[in-house]
Amino acid sequence: MHPQHPGDEPTWAALSPREKALAAVGMTGLGLGVLALVAAAVLLGVLTIGYLSRDLIEADGAGPLIWAALLFLPCGLLAGAFAYPVRLALRLVLASPKAKRRAETALSAGTTFLAALFVETLTPGLHVQHPWLPALLATLLIALAHLATNHLEARTHRSHNHP
């Protein structure tokens, strides 16, 4: 057993088996909670896009919308795999940090657009007319969510640094 100083966080090795089990259960619960929150946000996004594009999207019931939410992550990974070589090339070619940030933002939007096109194409029971319109809407909604998150983080950071 390692000696503990007052105020030090205990190490994993210093925890008893009961404390380790409680920590594992707590972390599992936290992970499942975060996963549920992300799944709910994705499903809400799919439902929002489905509602706003209801004249362009026809679904064979509620199942395809759930499938679309489930396929969002794998389609995002697939789109990211296609965009990765471009991302690397831009990092090598661009010198200024401002240009790199702008290119990264544009590439991120393009990757999101491609992922939305993949979701529309690969979701069984989902029929989309003019698929680029809902994909563009999805890209804009995700960009707005990102901007809102950044704004809230900056606001929270400012309030913690300036009491």
Side-chain angles (χ1 to χ4, degrees):
M1 195 108 195
H2 300 287
Q4 291 286 323
H5 299 289
D8 281 353
E9 291 288 324
T11 63
W12 184 257
L15 296 177
S16 70
R18 180 179 180 275
E19 291 171 328
K20 288 179 181 178
L22 286 174
V25 168
M27 292 306 288
T28 301
L30 179 64
L32 290 174
V34 169
L35 183 63
L37 185 62
V38 169
V42 169
L43 186 57
L44 179 64
V46 167
L47 291 174
T48 301
I49 292 164
Y51 177 76
L52 294 174
S53 302
R54 62 186 171 274
D55 294 337
L56 300 173
I57 298 174
E58 182 182 315
D60 299 340
L65 297 177
I66 293 171
W67 269 109
L70 290 173
L71 287 173
F72 180 77
L73 180 62
C75 288
L77 291 172
L78 181 63
F82 282 116
Y84 190 71
V86 176
R87 180 171 273 123
L88 286 178
L90 287 174
R91 286 181 186 166
L92 291 172
V93 171
L94 299 174
S96 101
K98 190 174 185 178
K100 285 183 180 182
R101 269 194 317 276
R102 286 183 178 168
E104 187 67 34
T105 300
L107 191 58
S108 179
T111 303
T112 303
F113 182 79
L114 184 59
L117 286 175
F118 286 157
V119 168
E120 293 171 357
T121 304
L122 299 174
T123 301
L126 194 66
H127 313 285
V128 182
Q129 297 175 8
H130 308 292
W132 65 274
L133 287 171
L136 182 61
L137 178 61
T139 303
L140 292 174
L141 287 176
I142 290 173
L144 285 174
H146 181 70
L147 288 173
T149 302
N150 284 347
H151 176 72
L152 290 174
E153 285 177 355
R155 191 170 147 192
T156 303
H157 182 71
R158 280 193 307 266
S159 68
H160 287 299
N161 287 339
H162 301 288

